[in-house]
Amino acid sequence: MPLDNVIRLQDARSSVWDDVLSCLRDLLPANGFGMWFGNRNLTLDSIEDGRARLVASNELVASWVDGHFKEALLSAFRQVSDVVDYTISVSPDSLASQVQEFSSAAVAPVLSTRTEKEQERAKRKEALLASFYPDYRFDTFVEGESNRIALAMCRSVAENPQECSMNPFFLFGGPGVGKTHLLQSIGRYALTYETAPTVVYRTAEQFLKDFMKTQNPDLSRQERAEASAELRRTYEDSQLLLMDDIQILAGIGHGATEKALFQVLQARVNSKRVTVFSADRRPSEIPSLFEGFSRFDGNSIAVSVPDLITRVNILRRKAAALQIPAEEREKIFQWVARHQQGNVREIEGVVAKLFAYHDLLGISLTLDLFKELCGSCDTTLPTASGKKAAITISSIKEVVAAAHGISVESLTANTRVRSVSEPRKIAMYFCRQLTKESLLNIGFQFGGRNYATVIASIKAVEREMRRNPDYAQSIEKIRQSFSL
């Protein structure tokens, strides 16, 4: 291969890549550019025959940039060079690229070559990994509009806990939407790739039991003191603490338990140790929860009920082993996804029925046969069952996009074309009106737009509604579709 056909890294840094980044600054919202293209998260290695080879600092940056900024990146390249395509690889310095997942089969042969201290450490690590659900990993989590921001934040915490911008960080959402999956994925990743020296995963119920030992009147003073010291060692000293379902502590024992947890949290924040909680609501919305937690409402990110596309992808992932003709399988998945608008656990229940009908009954499923067998299944539309689907950012995007005859994906595109920018403003307006999402989260869900952009979009819609009665009527018509 002739050397003059290749632009090497040093030249690319000084010329083409600097020009590309300059273009991207104009194309992207400031926080979107800073988060994904700043701090050398993405670099240019070489250009060969019109194809750029990019290197991402980690897997999250690679997947996010390629999934969300591909058109903007290609546009920037075309403006300053003859590049027409690119590839992204992950830097060999990425922790996930260097370290393999642990398994009991792989650990045993290695132990004999380690020192006694190293062997003990490896055994503790293996035991901790074994305490997590084996299927709860980032690579088994199905990403969608309803959980994309939460997933990105969780991966960021897992990969570099010391740089966590939200501490404590709260994941909130209804039952069965994937909070425990994400929480345990953080812990598994941090342990496997050793991004945190110590990791503790506990449910709120386990914390309650540990705290009650410190208050047990049947124990001696010395025993209670030892229980208190153990509680501090477990919950305060770990570099990364993950706690599930903290809402169950609200009001227990006249608030003593949650106050004890808050004291743990204060000690951890003061020592810059990262804490991740999950709950069914934001801290300020949990009745009787100690008021100190509500200070961190701004550190909350929602995990919502999966949208249609995500539901189909979940079905594909969970039922991949089913030996059903591809055409019939897709028909079944599409039908179930449109009728089953519940959480992930409910979708998994339908998958279990699919396996039962296919394997236990020994029949080859078609859509018509599955509909007949599922006569008693909970796969009815919300309007038929009397239930109204929860309004989420994803559902708002779907409704607004359909009302304007555009795709949902275009609402996150980096374009100022009015046919797209106007529906995007309207969608942001409804997200603020009909959900409890923060302005920061709303901006992230629309292509990484910043706080100021979201505020400006909402005010623009409100201003136009006051000025133009026909516009106001069209907005009201869309609003009514959410209450059907």
Side-chain angles (χ1 to χ4, degrees):
M1 184 73 64
L3 291 179
D4 55 2
N5 248 359
V6 179
I7 302 176
R8 283 296 163 202
L9 182 58
Q10 186 173 355
D11 301 324
R13 280 179 179 168
S14 61
S15 56
V16 177
W17 187 235
D18 286 343
D19 292 341
V20 168
L21 293 178
S22 180
C23 290
L24 286 171
R25 282 191 183 91
D26 296 331
L27 292 170
L28 302 178
N31 66 332
F33 175 86
M35 178 174 292
W36 303 107
F37 295 93
N39 300 319
R40 294 187 55 77
N41 280 332
L42 193 68
T43 57
L44 178 61
D45 178 71
S46 64
I47 298 174
E48 183 176 353
D49 295 331
R51 180 184 290 267
R53 181 178 180 274
L54 303 173
V55 179
S57 59
N58 56 55
E59 289 79 355
L60 179 59
V61 171
S63 61
W64 190 276
V65 167
D66 198 48
H68 295 78
F69 301 119
K70 184 170 185 175
E71 290 305 318
L73 191 52
L74 286 173
S75 175
F77 267 119
R78 288 166 187 151
Q79 290 182 48
V80 302
S81 70
D82 60 353
V83 169
V84 294
D85 200 3
Y86 68 82
T87 60
I88 301 181
S89 59
V90 177
S91 168
D93 294 330
S94 171
L95 294 169
S97 300
Q98 294 176 343
V99 185
Q100 299 300 314
E101 289 278 359
F102 269 79
S103 68
S104 56
V107 170
V110 178
L111 290 180
S112 60
T113 64
R114 294 176 173 173
T115 66
E116 185 175 340
K117 187 176 181 180
E118 289 173 332
Q119 288 184 32
E120 186 59 34
R121 181 166 168 265
K123 288 178 180 177
R124 284 199 306 270
K125 183 174 180 178
E126 184 188 1
L128 283 170
L129 284 169
S131 68
F132 290 93
Y133 292 119
D135 291 336
Y136 281 6
R137 309 185 308 271
F138 284 126
D139 63 312
T140 61
F141 189 85
V142 179
E143 179 181 354
E145 287 293 326
S146 61
N147 58 41
R148 180 164 290 127
I149 302 306
L151 174 60
M153 185 63 193
C154 288
R155 292 206 61 164
S156 176
V157 171
E159 188 158 279
N160 197 351
Q162 291 76 18
E163 298 299 323
C164 181
S165 58
M166 294 182 179
N167 187 27
F169 166 45
F170 285 85
L171 277 174
F172 74 94
V177 293
K179 301 187 300 296
T180 299
H181 191 146
L182 286 173
L183 212 60
Q184 291 210 4
S185 296
I186 294 173
R188 177 177 289 279
Y189 187 104
L191 281 168
T192 303
Y193 302 140
E194 300 183 349
T195 59
T198 50
V199 179
V200 169
Y201 170 82
R202 290 289 189 277
T203 63
E205 185 178 359
Q206 287 172 317
F207 178 83
L208 173 61
K209 291 177 181 178
D210 292 340
F211 174 69
M212 292 307 294
K213 290 179 184 177
T214 70
Q215 309 295 306
N216 190 345
D218 296 331
L219 298 179
S220 67
R221 181 179 298 180
Q222 177 65 25
E223 288 172 325
R224 288 199 298 273
E226 290 174 354
S228 296
E230 179 62 25
L231 184 138
R232 285 194 299 273
R233 278 195 299 272
T234 301
Y235 294 94
E236 290 185 16
D237 294 350
S238 61
Q239 185 62 41
L240 180 59
L241 173 63
L242 312 165
M243 187 172 293
D244 218 350
D245 291 327
I246 68 164
Q247 74 276 355
I248 72 169
L249 300 179
I252 292 179
H254 304 289
T257 307
E258 62 207 77
K259 287 178 184 177
L261 178 59
F262 189 73
Q263 289 172 354
V264 167
L265 178 59
Q266 285 182 307
R268 293 184 59 79
V269 170
N270 291 338
S271 60
K272 294 182 169 40
R273 299 177 189 274
V274 179
T275 309
V276 184
F277 293 121
S278 81
D280 61 355
R281 283 157 284 187
R282 298 177 189 273
S284 63
E285 296 172 354
I286 300 175
S288 304
L289 185 67
F290 182 62
E291 61 183 8
F293 287 99
S294 62
R295 297 181 208 163
F296 302 107
D297 254 24
N299 291 3
S300 303
I301 293 180
V303 187
S304 305
V305 173
D307 56 17
L308 175 65
I309 295 172
T310 309
R311 293 195 297 273
V312 172
N313 288 335
I314 291 171
L315 286 163
R316 287 172 180 155
R317 174 77 64 86
K318 300 288 183 181
L322 279 172
Q323 298 300 311
I324 303 174
E327 183 179 350
E328 290 297 327
R329 186 168 61 239
E330 283 302 305
K331 287 180 182 177
I332 292 172
F333 291 170
Q334 291 288 339
W335 183 82
V336 171
R338 292 182 185 281
H339 288 71
Q340 175 56 273
Q341 299 189 16
N343 60 39
V344 178
R345 288 181 196 153
E346 292 170 346
I347 294 171
E348 289 175 340
V350 176
V351 173
K353 291 184 176 72
L354 278 166
F355 274 100
Y357 294 147
H358 183 267
D359 295 337
L360 300 181
L361 300 180
I363 56 178
S364 180
L365 285 179
T366 63
L367 175 59
D368 290 338
L369 183 55
F370 182 72
K371 285 181 181 179
E372 183 180 342
L373 290 168
C374 255
S376 60
C377 294
D378 182 21
T379 53
T380 55
L381 289 167
T383 50
S385 62
K387 295 192 297 182
K388 187 169 70 175
I391 298 175
T392 64
I393 291 180
S394 296
S395 63
I396 288 171
K397 283 182 176 180
E398 290 177 4
V399 169
V400 173
H404 289 83
I406 61 175
S407 68
V408 172
E409 291 74 19
S410 65
L411 292 175
T412 61
N414 295 294
T415 176
R416 296 181 182 178
V417 176
R418 182 173 175 79
S419 60
V420 174
S421 64
E422 188 61 32
R424 183 166 57 227
K425 291 177 185 177
I426 294 170
M428 289 184 184
Y429 166 79
F430 279 123
C431 287
R432 187 59 170 168
Q433 291 284 316
L434 303 178
T435 77
K436 294 182 179 179
E437 294 289 349
S438 68
L439 293 171
L440 177 65
N441 289 347
I442 292 171
F444 271 128
Q445 294 273 20
F446 286 86
R449 285 166 170 80
N450 60 28
Y451 176 97
T453 300
V454 178
I455 285 287
S457 298
I458 293 169
K459 288 185 176 179
V461 172
E462 292 173 340
R463 189 164 54 246
E464 187 64 17
M465 287 173 67
R466 291 192 296 269
R467 190 189 69 81
N468 186 341
D470 291 338
Y471 183 87
Q473 186 176 1
S474 68
I475 296 296
E476 185 58 32
K477 185 177 180 180
I478 295 174
R479 186 195 302 273
Q480 288 173 1
S481 67
F482 292 109
S483 59
L484 295 177

